[in-house]
Amino acid sequence: MYIEKGKPEEIPKGAIRLTRDEVQEYMIDLIQKWPNTMELWALKHGNPILSSAVVISSSVILNFYRKKLQLRNYGRFTLFLPIVLVPSIFDQIYQSSMTTKSIILQEDCPICISTQSMFIQLGTGIVYPWLSTVGGTHMFASKMNTYNLKSKGPEVVKEFALHVMKISRPLYNRLTAFVIGHVLLSYMISHYQMNNFEFLRNKMLQQQNEEIEALRLSKQTSYK
């Protein structure tokens, strides 16, 4: 079945009308059941790849601050869940429910889709892990007495900010590499996802034309 987006007045007679949710559900089911995985690899495995990249960058950020604050094995699992596991799950959810959905429903331009994917990737792979790691590791460090604030009142914020900037300097190069990596990876995956979807639409159109031609020939044969 070939699916085409169109205005009500453009819909031909006999066509089956589907809601946005029905279209999305049908296309996702078709993608998952597609026999040749390599033809639709980005649509099938692109989002898990992006989610795995989030796990890598989040883990590096978390381990860096754990070592700097001498936490050893204290709170390892407690910090791993919200800082590494949660953002990777949300990355896959957002990429699937926003980026992939936009591709399937053809709601946005290619540049908008790629930009959206980049922001999701940077938010879940860099911004959230960095902010939550800084807060989480320093909270555990204060409990273990490996780091304590000396100032009081408003000066506490300034002291904490200067401390974070100081210990974070060795991480800046890696953060820059991660930012570039996430941007390039998300752009590449979204680009191939759009190409995969266009390939799928062409295949569906080709199949429909073949079915129409076969039906036409069968009718001609029956009239003879």
Side-chain angles (χ1 to χ4, degrees), residues 177-201:
F178 282 137
V179 168
I180 296 172
H182 279 301
V183 167
L184 293 178
L185 183 63
S186 60
Y187 174 81
M188 182 188 73
I189 293 295
S190 62
H191 171 75
Y192 281 110
Q193 284 178 334
M194 286 183 277
N195 285 348
N196 283 178
F197 185 71
E198 190 61 29
F199 167 83
L200 180 60
R201 290 181 70 249

mmCIF file with all atom_site columns, all heavy atoms in Angstrom, residues 177-201:
data_model
loop_
_atom_site.group_PDB
_atom_site.id
_atom_site.type_symbol
_atom_site.label_atom_id
_atom_site.label_alt_id
_atom_site.label_comp_id
_atom_site.label_asym_id
_atom_site.label_entity_id
_atom_site.label_seq_id
_atom_site.pdbx_PDB_ins_code
_atom_site.Cartn_x
_atom_site.Cartn_y
_atom_site.Cartn_z
_atom_site.occupancy
_atom_site.B_iso_or_equiv
_atom_site.pdbx_formal_charge
_atom_site.auth_seq_id
_atom_site.auth_comp_id
_atom_site.auth_asym_id
_atom_site.auth_atom_id
_atom_site.pdbx_PDB_model_num
ATOM 1   N N   . ALA A 1 177 ? 35.311 17.381 21.566 1.00 0.00 ? 177 ALA A N   1
ATOM 2   C CA  . ALA A 1 177 ? 35.273 16.227 20.655 1.00 0.00 ? 177 ALA A CA  1
ATOM 3   C C   . ALA A 1 177 ? 33.901 15.552 20.678 1.00 0.00 ? 177 ALA A C   1
ATOM 4   O O   . ALA A 1 177 ? 33.381 15.141 19.633 1.00 0.00 ? 177 ALA A O   1
ATOM 5   C CB  . ALA A 1 177 ? 36.364 15.229 21.039 1.00 0.00 ? 177 ALA A CB  1
ATOM 6   N N   . PHE A 1 178 ? 33.322 15.450 21.870 1.00 0.00 ? 178 PHE A N   1
ATOM 7   C CA  . PHE A 1 178 ? 31.997 14.834 21.984 1.00 0.00 ? 178 PHE A CA  1
ATOM 8   C C   . PHE A 1 178 ? 30.935 15.683 21.289 1.00 0.00 ? 178 PHE A C   1
ATOM 9   O O   . PHE A 1 178 ? 30.022 15.143 20.641 1.00 0.00 ? 178 PHE A O   1
ATOM 10  C CB  . PHE A 1 178 ? 31.622 14.627 23.453 1.00 0.00 ? 178 PHE A CB  1
ATOM 11  C CG  . PHE A 1 178 ? 32.277 13.439 24.088 1.00 0.00 ? 178 PHE A CG  1
ATOM 12  C CD1 . PHE A 1 178 ? 32.812 13.528 25.357 1.00 0.00 ? 178 PHE A CD1 1
ATOM 13  C CD2 . PHE A 1 178 ? 32.355 12.225 23.414 1.00 0.00 ? 178 PHE A CD2 1
ATOM 14  C CE1 . PHE A 1 178 ? 33.421 12.427 25.955 1.00 0.00 ? 178 PHE A CE1 1
ATOM 15  C CE2 . PHE A 1 178 ? 32.964 11.128 23.997 1.00 0.00 ? 178 PHE A CE2 1
ATOM 16  C CZ  . PHE A 1 178 ? 33.502 11.222 25.268 1.00 0.00 ? 178 PHE A CZ  1
ATOM 17  N N   . VAL A 1 179 ? 31.015 16.995 21.442 1.00 0.00 ? 179 VAL A N   1
ATOM 18  C CA  . VAL A 1 179 ? 30.050 17.882 20.779 1.00 0.00 ? 179 VAL A CA  1
ATOM 19  C C   . VAL A 1 179 ? 30.114 17.698 19.272 1.00 0.00 ? 179 VAL A C   1
ATOM 20  O O   . VAL A 1 179 ? 29.089 17.514 18.600 1.00 0.00 ? 179 VAL A O   1
ATOM 21  C CB  . VAL A 1 179 ? 30.314 19.360 21.156 1.00 0.00 ? 179 VAL A CB  1
ATOM 22  C CG1 . VAL A 1 179 ? 29.506 20.287 20.256 1.00 0.00 ? 179 VAL A CG1 1
ATOM 23  C CG2 . VAL A 1 179 ? 29.960 19.617 22.616 1.00 0.00 ? 179 VAL A CG2 1
ATOM 24  N N   . ILE A 1 180 ? 31.337 17.740 18.725 1.00 0.00 ? 180 ILE A N   1
ATOM 25  C CA  . ILE A 1 180 ? 31.507 17.555 17.282 1.00 0.00 ? 180 ILE A CA  1
ATOM 26  C C   . ILE A 1 180 ? 31.028 16.171 16.855 1.00 0.00 ? 180 ILE A C   1
ATOM 27  O O   . ILE A 1 180 ? 30.350 16.015 15.836 1.00 0.00 ? 180 ILE A O   1
ATOM 28  C CB  . ILE A 1 180 ? 32.986 17.755 16.895 1.00 0.00 ? 180 ILE A CB  1
ATOM 29  C CG1 . ILE A 1 180 ? 33.413 19.207 17.169 1.00 0.00 ? 180 ILE A CG1 1
ATOM 30  C CG2 . ILE A 1 180 ? 33.214 17.413 15.423 1.00 0.00 ? 180 ILE A CG2 1
ATOM 31  C CD1 . ILE A 1 180 ? 34.897 19.456 16.996 1.00 0.00 ? 180 ILE A CD1 1
ATOM 32  N N   . GLY A 1 181 ? 31.372 15.161 17.650 1.00 0.00 ? 181 GLY A N   1
ATOM 33  C CA  . GLY A 1 181 ? 30.970 13.797 17.330 1.00 0.00 ? 181 GLY A CA  1
ATOM 34  C C   . GLY A 1 181 ? 29.466 13.608 17.324 1.00 0.00 ? 181 GLY A C   1
ATOM 35  O O   . GLY A 1 181 ? 28.904 12.993 16.410 1.00 0.00 ? 181 GLY A O   1
ATOM 36  N N   . HIS A 1 182 ? 28.793 14.156 18.338 1.00 0.00 ? 182 HIS A N   1
ATOM 37  C CA  . HIS A 1 182 ? 27.332 14.034 18.407 1.00 0.00 ? 182 HIS A CA  1
ATOM 38  C C   . HIS A 1 182 ? 26.653 14.767 17.257 1.00 0.00 ? 182 HIS A C   1
ATOM 39  O O   . HIS A 1 182 ? 25.672 14.276 16.681 1.00 0.00 ? 182 HIS A O   1
ATOM 40  C CB  . HIS A 1 182 ? 26.821 14.588 19.738 1.00 0.00 ? 182 HIS A CB  1
ATOM 41  C CG  . HIS A 1 182 ? 26.946 13.624 20.880 1.00 0.00 ? 182 HIS A CG  1
ATOM 42  N ND1 . HIS A 1 182 ? 26.343 12.387 20.869 1.00 0.00 ? 182 HIS A ND1 1
ATOM 43  C CD2 . HIS A 1 182 ? 27.592 13.711 22.071 1.00 0.00 ? 182 HIS A CD2 1
ATOM 44  C CE1 . HIS A 1 182 ? 26.616 11.749 22.002 1.00 0.00 ? 182 HIS A CE1 1
ATOM 45  N NE2 . HIS A 1 182 ? 27.375 12.537 22.746 1.00 0.00 ? 182 HIS A NE2 1
ATOM 46  N N   . VAL A 1 183 ? 27.172 15.947 16.927 1.00 0.00 ? 183 VAL A N   1
ATOM 47  C CA  . VAL A 1 183 ? 26.578 16.726 15.826 1.00 0.00 ? 183 VAL A CA  1
ATOM 48  C C   . VAL A 1 183 ? 26.718 15.971 14.506 1.00 0.00 ? 183 VAL A C   1
ATOM 49  O O   . VAL A 1 183 ? 25.754 15.824 13.747 1.00 0.00 ? 183 VAL A O   1
ATOM 50  C CB  . VAL A 1 183 ? 27.244 18.115 15.730 1.00 0.00 ? 183 VAL A CB  1
ATOM 51  C CG1 . VAL A 1 183 ? 26.870 18.802 14.420 1.00 0.00 ? 183 VAL A CG1 1
ATOM 52  C CG2 . VAL A 1 183 ? 26.826 18.991 16.903 1.00 0.00 ? 183 VAL A CG2 1
ATOM 53  N N   . LEU A 1 184 ? 27.929 15.491 14.224 1.00 0.00 ? 184 LEU A N   1
ATOM 54  C CA  . LEU A 1 184 ? 28.169 14.782 12.969 1.00 0.00 ? 184 LEU A CA  1
ATOM 55  C C   . LEU A 1 184 ? 27.387 13.473 12.906 1.00 0.00 ? 184 LEU A C   1
ATOM 56  O O   . LEU A 1 184 ? 26.808 13.135 11.868 1.00 0.00 ? 184 LEU A O   1
ATOM 57  C CB  . LEU A 1 184 ? 29.668 14.505 12.797 1.00 0.00 ? 184 LEU A CB  1
ATOM 58  C CG  . LEU A 1 184 ? 30.564 15.731 12.585 1.00 0.00 ? 184 LEU A CG  1
ATOM 59  C CD1 . LEU A 1 184 ? 32.031 15.310 12.488 1.00 0.00 ? 184 LEU A CD1 1
ATOM 60  C CD2 . LEU A 1 184 ? 30.152 16.483 11.320 1.00 0.00 ? 184 LEU A CD2 1
ATOM 61  N N   . LEU A 1 185 ? 27.378 12.742 14.023 1.00 0.00 ? 185 LEU A N   1
ATOM 62  C CA  . LEU A 1 185 ? 26.676 11.458 14.045 1.00 0.00 ? 185 LEU A CA  1
ATOM 63  C C   . LEU A 1 185 ? 25.173 11.636 13.860 1.00 0.00 ? 185 LEU A C   1
ATOM 64  O O   . LEU A 1 185 ? 24.540 10.910 13.083 1.00 0.00 ? 185 LEU A O   1
ATOM 65  C CB  . LEU A 1 185 ? 26.964 10.722 15.347 1.00 0.00 ? 185 LEU A CB  1
ATOM 66  C CG  . LEU A 1 185 ? 26.349 9.315  15.488 1.00 0.00 ? 185 LEU A CG  1
ATOM 67  C CD1 . LEU A 1 185 ? 26.917 8.384  14.423 1.00 0.00 ? 185 LEU A CD1 1
ATOM 68  C CD2 . LEU A 1 185 ? 26.608 8.756  16.881 1.00 0.00 ? 185 LEU A CD2 1
ATOM 69  N N   . SER A 1 186 ? 24.589 12.600 14.586 1.00 0.00 ? 186 SER A N   1
ATOM 70  C CA  . SER A 1 186 ? 23.144 12.826 14.466 1.00 0.00 ? 186 SER A CA  1
ATOM 71  C C   . SER A 1 186 ? 22.773 13.312 13.068 1.00 0.00 ? 186 SER A C   1
ATOM 72  O O   . SER A 1 186 ? 21.741 12.921 12.521 1.00 0.00 ? 186 SER A O   1
ATOM 73  C CB  . SER A 1 186 ? 22.673 13.833 15.523 1.00 0.00 ? 186 SER A CB  1
ATOM 74  O OG  . SER A 1 186 ? 23.341 15.074 15.369 1.00 0.00 ? 186 SER A OG  1
ATOM 75  N N   . TYR A 1 187 ? 23.637 14.155 12.470 1.00 0.00 ? 187 TYR A N   1
ATOM 76  C CA  . TYR A 1 187 ? 23.378 14.619 11.104 1.00 0.00 ? 187 TYR A CA  1
ATOM 77  C C   . TYR A 1 187 ? 23.443 13.449 10.117 1.00 0.00 ? 187 TYR A C   1
ATOM 78  O O   . TYR A 1 187 ? 22.573 13.308 9.250  1.00 0.00 ? 187 TYR A O   1
ATOM 79  C CB  . TYR A 1 187 ? 24.387 15.693 10.697 1.00 0.00 ? 187 TYR A CB  1
ATOM 80  C CG  . TYR A 1 187 ? 24.253 16.111 9.252  1.00 0.00 ? 187 TYR A CG  1
ATOM 81  C CD1 . TYR A 1 187 ? 23.273 17.021 8.864  1.00 0.00 ? 187 TYR A CD1 1
ATOM 82  C CD2 . TYR A 1 187 ? 25.084 15.571 8.270  1.00 0.00 ? 187 TYR A CD2 1
ATOM 83  C CE1 . TYR A 1 187 ? 23.130 17.391 7.528  1.00 0.00 ? 187 TYR A CE1 1
ATOM 84  C CE2 . TYR A 1 187 ? 24.939 15.927 6.934  1.00 0.00 ? 187 TYR A CE2 1
ATOM 85  C CZ  . TYR A 1 187 ? 23.967 16.840 6.578  1.00 0.00 ? 187 TYR A CZ  1
ATOM 86  O OH  . TYR A 1 187 ? 23.818 17.188 5.254  1.00 0.00 ? 187 TYR A OH  1
ATOM 87  N N   . MET A 1 188 ? 24.453 12.608 10.273 1.00 0.00 ? 188 MET A N   1
ATOM 88  C CA  . MET A 1 188 ? 24.616 11.483 9.368  1.00 0.00 ? 188 MET A CA  1
ATOM 89  C C   . MET A 1 188 ? 23.447 10.500 9.480  1.00 0.00 ? 188 MET A C   1
ATOM 90  O O   . MET A 1 188 ? 22.888 10.065 8.470  1.00 0.00 ? 188 MET A O   1
ATOM 91  C CB  . MET A 1 188 ? 25.928 10.748 9.666  1.00 0.00 ? 188 MET A CB  1
ATOM 92  C CG  . MET A 1 188 ? 26.210 9.582  8.718  1.00 0.00 ? 188 MET A CG  1
ATOM 93  S SD  . MET A 1 188 ? 27.630 8.598  9.219  1.00 0.00 ? 188 MET A SD  1
ATOM 94  C CE  . MET A 1 188 ? 26.933 7.743  10.653 1.00 0.00 ? 188 MET A CE  1
ATOM 95  N N   . ILE A 1 189 ? 23.070 10.170 10.733 1.00 0.00 ? 189 ILE A N   1
ATOM 96  C CA  . ILE A 1 189 ? 21.980 9.218  10.934 1.00 0.00 ? 189 ILE A CA  1
ATOM 97  C C   . ILE A 1 189 ? 20.670 9.768  10.377 1.00 0.00 ? 189 ILE A C   1
ATOM 98  O O   . ILE A 1 189 ? 19.930 9.066  9.665  1.00 0.00 ? 189 ILE A O   1
ATOM 99  C CB  . ILE A 1 189 ? 21.813 8.882  12.428 1.00 0.00 ? 189 ILE A CB  1
ATOM 100 C CG1 . ILE A 1 189 ? 23.030 8.104  12.948 1.00 0.00 ? 189 ILE A CG1 1
ATOM 101 C CG2 . ILE A 1 189 ? 20.536 8.082  12.663 1.00 0.00 ? 189 ILE A CG2 1
ATOM 102 C CD1 . ILE A 1 189 ? 23.225 6.748  12.336 1.00 0.00 ? 189 ILE A CD1 1
ATOM 103 N N   . SER A 1 190 ? 20.350 11.025 10.687 1.00 0.00 ? 190 SER A N   1
ATOM 104 C CA  . SER A 1 190 ? 19.096 11.609 10.182 1.00 0.00 ? 190 SER A CA  1
ATOM 105 C C   . SER A 1 190 ? 19.102 11.697 8.661  1.00 0.00 ? 190 SER A C   1
ATOM 106 O O   . SER A 1 190 ? 18.069 11.495 8.008  1.00 0.00 ? 190 SER A O   1
ATOM 107 C CB  . SER A 1 190 ? 18.860 12.990 10.801 1.00 0.00 ? 190 SER A CB  1
ATOM 108 O OG  . SER A 1 190 ? 19.900 13.890 10.453 1.00 0.00 ? 190 SER A OG  1
ATOM 109 N N   . HIS A 1 191 ? 20.270 11.990 8.085  1.00 0.00 ? 191 HIS A N   1
ATOM 110 C CA  . HIS A 1 191 ? 20.391 12.057 6.617  1.00 0.00 ? 191 HIS A CA  1
ATOM 111 C C   . HIS A 1 191 ? 20.094 10.696 5.987  1.00 0.00 ? 191 HIS A C   1
ATOM 112 O O   . HIS A 1 191 ? 19.311 10.594 5.031  1.00 0.00 ? 191 HIS A O   1
ATOM 113 C CB  . HIS A 1 191 ? 21.800 12.514 6.247  1.00 0.00 ? 191 HIS A CB  1
ATOM 114 C CG  . HIS A 1 191 ? 22.101 12.424 4.775  1.00 0.00 ? 191 HIS A CG  1
ATOM 115 N ND1 . HIS A 1 191 ? 21.594 13.325 3.863  1.00 0.00 ? 191 HIS A ND1 1
ATOM 116 C CD2 . HIS A 1 191 ? 22.845 11.527 4.061  1.00 0.00 ? 191 HIS A CD2 1
ATOM 117 C CE1 . HIS A 1 191 ? 22.005 12.992 2.648  1.00 0.00 ? 191 HIS A CE1 1
ATOM 118 N NE2 . HIS A 1 191 ? 22.760 11.911 2.738  1.00 0.00 ? 191 HIS A NE2 1
ATOM 119 N N   . TYR A 1 192 ? 20.684 9.646  6.529  1.00 0.00 ? 192 TYR A N   1
ATOM 120 C CA  . TYR A 1 192 ? 20.453 8.310  5.989  1.00 0.00 ? 192 TYR A CA  1
ATOM 121 C C   . TYR A 1 192 ? 19.044 7.810  6.297  1.00 0.00 ? 192 TYR A C   1
ATOM 122 O O   . TYR A 1 192 ? 18.482 7.027  5.527  1.00 0.00 ? 192 TYR A O   1
ATOM 123 C CB  . TYR A 1 192 ? 21.498 7.334  6.519  1.00 0.00 ? 192 TYR A CB  1
ATOM 124 C CG  . TYR A 1 192 ? 22.823 7.433  5.801  1.00 0.00 ? 192 TYR A CG  1
ATOM 125 C CD1 . TYR A 1 192 ? 23.941 7.949  6.441  1.00 0.00 ? 192 TYR A CD1 1
ATOM 126 C CD2 . TYR A 1 192 ? 22.951 7.016  4.479  1.00 0.00 ? 192 TYR A CD2 1
ATOM 127 C CE1 . TYR A 1 192 ? 25.161 8.058  5.779  1.00 0.00 ? 192 TYR A CE1 1
ATOM 128 C CE2 . TYR A 1 192 ? 24.161 7.124  3.802  1.00 0.00 ? 192 TYR A CE2 1
ATOM 129 C CZ  . TYR A 1 192 ? 25.255 7.642  4.460  1.00 0.00 ? 192 TYR A CZ  1
ATOM 130 O OH  . TYR A 1 192 ? 26.451 7.754  3.795  1.00 0.00 ? 192 TYR A OH  1
ATOM 131 N N   . GLN A 1 193 ? 18.480 8.237  7.414  1.00 0.00 ? 193 GLN A N   1
ATOM 132 C CA  . GLN A 1 193 ? 17.092 7.870  7.706  1.00 0.00 ? 193 GLN A CA  1
ATOM 133 C C   . GLN A 1 193 ? 16.148 8.454  6.658  1.00 0.00 ? 193 GLN A C   1
ATOM 134 O O   . GLN A 1 193 ? 15.213 7.776  6.211  1.00 0.00 ? 193 GLN A O   1
ATOM 135 C CB  . GLN A 1 193 ? 16.694 8.364  9.106  1.00 0.00 ? 193 GLN A CB  1
ATOM 136 C CG  . GLN A 1 193 ? 17.264 7.520  10.234 1.00 0.00 ? 193 GLN A CG  1
ATOM 137 C CD  . GLN A 1 193 ? 16.892 8.051  11.600 1.00 0.00 ? 193 GLN A CD  1
ATOM 138 O OE1 . GLN A 1 193 ? 16.636 9.251  11.770 1.00 0.00 ? 193 GLN A OE1 1
ATOM 139 N NE2 . GLN A 1 193 ? 16.876 7.183  12.596 1.00 0.00 ? 193 GLN A NE2 1
ATOM 140 N N   . MET A 1 194 ? 16.389 9.698  6.267  1.00 0.00 ? 194 MET A N   1
ATOM 141 C CA  . MET A 1 194 ? 15.560 10.313 5.227  1.00 0.00 ? 194 MET A CA  1
ATOM 142 C C   . MET A 1 194 ? 15.766 9.617  3.890  1.00 0.00 ? 194 MET A C   1
ATOM 143 O O   . MET A 1 194 ? 14.802 9.413  3.129  1.00 0.00 ? 194 MET A O   1
ATOM 144 C CB  . MET A 1 194 ? 15.871 11.813 5.138  1.00 0.00 ? 194 MET A CB  1
ATOM 145 C CG  . MET A 1 194 ? 15.311 12.626 6.295  1.00 0.00 ? 194 MET A CG  1
ATOM 146 S SD  . MET A 1 194 ? 15.594 14.402 6.155  1.00 0.00 ? 194 MET A SD  1
ATOM 147 C CE  . MET A 1 194 ? 17.268 14.533 6.806  1.00 0.00 ? 194 MET A CE  1
ATOM 148 N N   . ASN A 1 195 ? 17.006 9.236  3.588  1.00 0.00 ? 195 ASN A N   1
ATOM 149 C CA  . ASN A 1 195 ? 17.266 8.496  2.350  1.00 0.00 ? 195 ASN A CA  1
ATOM 150 C C   . ASN A 1 195 ? 16.587 7.125  2.375  1.00 0.00 ? 195 ASN A C   1
ATOM 151 O O   . ASN A 1 195 ? 16.030 6.681  1.363  1.00 0.00 ? 195 ASN A O   1
ATOM 152 C CB  . ASN A 1 195 ? 18.771 8.311  2.161  1.00 0.00 ? 195 ASN A CB  1
ATOM 153 C CG  . ASN A 1 195 ? 19.464 9.592  1.725  1.00 0.00 ? 195 ASN A CG  1
ATOM 154 O OD1 . ASN A 1 195 ? 18.806 10.567 1.356  1.00 0.00 ? 195 ASN A OD1 1
ATOM 155 N ND2 . ASN A 1 195 ? 20.781 9.604  1.767  1.00 0.00 ? 195 ASN A ND2 1
ATOM 156 N N   . ASN A 1 196 ? 16.662 6.458  3.518  1.00 0.00 ? 196 ASN A N   1
ATOM 157 C CA  . ASN A 1 196 ? 16.005 5.155  3.670  1.00 0.00 ? 196 ASN A CA  1
ATOM 158 C C   . ASN A 1 196 ? 14.503 5.274  3.455  1.00 0.00 ? 196 ASN A C   1
ATOM 159 O O   . ASN A 1 196 ? 13.886 4.418  2.814  1.00 0.00 ? 196 ASN A O   1
ATOM 160 C CB  . ASN A 1 196 ? 16.269 4.580  5.049  1.00 0.00 ? 196 ASN A CB  1
ATOM 161 C CG  . ASN A 1 196 ? 17.652 3.992  5.217  1.00 0.00 ? 196 ASN A CG  1
ATOM 162 O OD1 . ASN A 1 196 ? 18.010 3.525  6.284  1.00 0.00 ? 196 ASN A OD1 1
ATOM 163 N ND2 . ASN A 1 196 ? 18.458 4.026  4.166  1.00 0.00 ? 196 ASN A ND2 1
ATOM 164 N N   . PHE A 1 197 ? 13.915 6.326  4.019  1.00 0.00 ? 197 PHE A N   1
ATOM 165 C CA  . PHE A 1 197 ? 12.464 6.500  3.896  1.00 0.00 ? 197 PHE A CA  1
ATOM 166 C C   . PHE A 1 197 ? 12.065 6.797  2.450  1.00 0.00 ? 197 PHE A C   1
ATOM 167 O O   . PHE A 1 197 ? 11.038 6.304  1.972  1.00 0.00 ? 197 PHE A O   1
ATOM 168 C CB  . PHE A 1 197 ? 11.979 7.619  4.812  1.00 0.00 ? 197 PHE A CB  1
ATOM 169 C CG  . PHE A 1 197 ? 10.495 7.770  4.835  1.00 0.00 ? 197 PHE A CG  1
ATOM 170 C CD1 . PHE A 1 197 ? 9.695  6.811  5.454  1.00 0.00 ? 197 PHE A CD1 1
ATOM 171 C CD2 . PHE A 1 197 ? 9.870  8.846  4.232  1.00 0.00 ? 197 PHE A CD2 1
ATOM 172 C CE1 . PHE A 1 197 ? 8.307  6.927  5.460  1.00 0.00 ? 197 PHE A CE1 1
ATOM 173 C CE2 . PHE A 1 197 ? 8.491  8.972  4.224  1.00 0.00 ? 197 PHE A CE2 1
ATOM 174 C CZ  . PHE A 1 197 ? 7.713  8.012  4.842  1.00 0.00 ? 197 PHE A CZ  1
ATOM 175 N N   . GLU A 1 198 ? 12.878 7.572  1.758  1.00 0.00 ? 198 GLU A N   1
ATOM 176 C CA  . GLU A 1 198 ? 12.595 7.855  0.349  1.00 0.00 ? 198 GLU A CA  1
ATOM 177 C C   . GLU A 1 198 ? 12.707 6.581  -0.484 1.00 0.00 ? 198 GLU A C   1
ATOM 178 O O   . GLU A 1 198 ? 11.900 6.348  -1.399 1.00 0.00 ? 198 GLU A O   1
ATOM 179 C CB  . GLU A 1 198 ? 13.577 8.909  -0.174 1.00 0.00 ? 198 GLU A CB  1
ATOM 180 C CG  . GLU A 1 198 ? 13.245 9.455  -1.548 1.00 0.00 ? 198 GLU A CG  1
ATOM 181 C CD  . GLU A 1 198 ? 11.897 10.160 -1.593 1.00 0.00 ? 198 GLU A CD  1
ATOM 182 O OE1 . GLU A 1 198 ? 11.461 10.706 -0.555 1.00 0.00 ? 198 GLU A OE1 1
ATOM 183 O OE2 . GLU A 1 198 ? 11.263 10.154 -2.675 1.00 0.00 ? 198 GLU A OE2 1
ATOM 184 N N   . PHE A 1 199 ? 13.693 5.757  -0.154 1.00 0.00 ? 199 PHE A N   1
ATOM 185 C CA  . PHE A 1 199 ? 13.841 4.456  -0.819 1.00 0.00 ? 199 PHE A CA  1
ATOM 186 C C   . PHE A 1 199 ? 12.604 3.594  -0.576 1.00 0.00 ? 199 PHE A C   1
ATOM 187 O O   . PHE A 1 199 ? 12.086 2.951  -1.490 1.00 0.00 ? 199 PHE A O   1
ATOM 188 C CB  . PHE A 1 199 ? 15.095 3.745  -0.303 1.00 0.00 ? 199 PHE A CB  1
ATOM 189 C CG  . PHE A 1 199 ? 15.190 2.301  -0.677 1.00 0.00 ? 199 PHE A CG  1
ATOM 190 C CD1 . PHE A 1 199 ? 15.686 1.922  -1.914 1.00 0.00 ? 199 PHE A CD1 1
ATOM 191 C CD2 . PHE A 1 199 ? 14.776 1.302  0.208  1.00 0.00 ? 199 PHE A CD2 1
ATOM 192 C CE1 . PHE A 1 199 ? 15.770 0.577  -2.263 1.00 0.00 ? 199 PHE A CE1 1
ATOM 193 C CE2 . PHE A 1 199 ? 14.854 -0.034 -0.135 1.00 0.00 ? 199 PHE A CE2 1
ATOM 194 C CZ  . PHE A 1 199 ? 15.354 -0.403 -1.374 1.00 0.00 ? 199 PHE A CZ  1
ATOM 195 N N   . LEU A 1 200 ? 12.123 3.604  0.669  1.00 0.00 ? 200 LEU A N   1
ATOM 196 C CA  . LEU A 1 200 ? 10.949 2.811  1.023  1.00 0.00 ? 200 LEU A CA  1
ATOM 197 C C   . LEU A 1 200 ? 9.715  3.287  0.269  1.00 0.00 ? 200 LEU A C   1
ATOM 198 O O   . LEU A 1 200 ? 8.927  2.474  -0.238 1.00 0.00 ? 200 LEU A O   1
ATOM 199 C CB  . LEU A 1 200 ? 10.717 2.893  2.531  1.00 0.00 ? 200 LEU A CB  1
ATOM 200 C CG  . LEU A 1 200 ? 9.511  2.118  3.091  1.00 0.00 ? 200 LEU A CG  1
ATOM 201 C CD1 . LEU A 1 200 ? 9.646  0.631  2.800  1.00 0.00 ? 200 LEU A CD1 1
ATOM 202 C CD2 . LEU A 1 200 ? 9.385  2.358  4.599  1.00 0.00 ? 200 LEU A CD2 1
ATOM 203 N N   . ARG A 1 201 ? 9.525  4.591  0.175  1.00 0.00 ? 201 ARG A N   1
ATOM 204 C CA  . ARG A 1 201 ? 8.369  5.142  -0.544 1.00 0.00 ? 201 ARG A CA  1
ATOM 205 C C   . ARG A 1 201 ? 8.425  4.763  -2.023 1.00 0.00 ? 201 ARG A C   1
ATOM 206 O O   . ARG A 1 201 ? 7.388  4.428  -2.625 1.00 0.00 ? 201 ARG A O   1
ATOM 207 C CB  . ARG A 1 201 ? 8.325  6.659  -0.391 1.00 0.00 ? 201 ARG A CB  1
ATOM 208 C CG  . ARG A 1 201 ? 7.983  7.133  1.006  1.00 0.00 ? 201 ARG A CG  1
ATOM 209 C CD  . ARG A 1 201 ? 7.927  8.640  1.098  1.00 0.00 ? 201 ARG A CD  1
ATOM 210 N NE  . ARG A 1 201 ? 6.776  9.188  0.390  1.00 0.00 ? 201 ARG A NE  1
ATOM 211 C CZ  . ARG A 1 201 ? 6.836  9.900  -0.724 1.00 0.00 ? 201 ARG A CZ  1
ATOM 212 N NH1 . ARG A 1 201 ? 7.990  10.161 -1.291 1.00 0.00 ? 201 ARG A NH1 1
ATOM 213 N NH2 . ARG A 1 201 ? 5.730  10.362 -1.294 1.00 0.00 ? 201 ARG A NH2 1
#
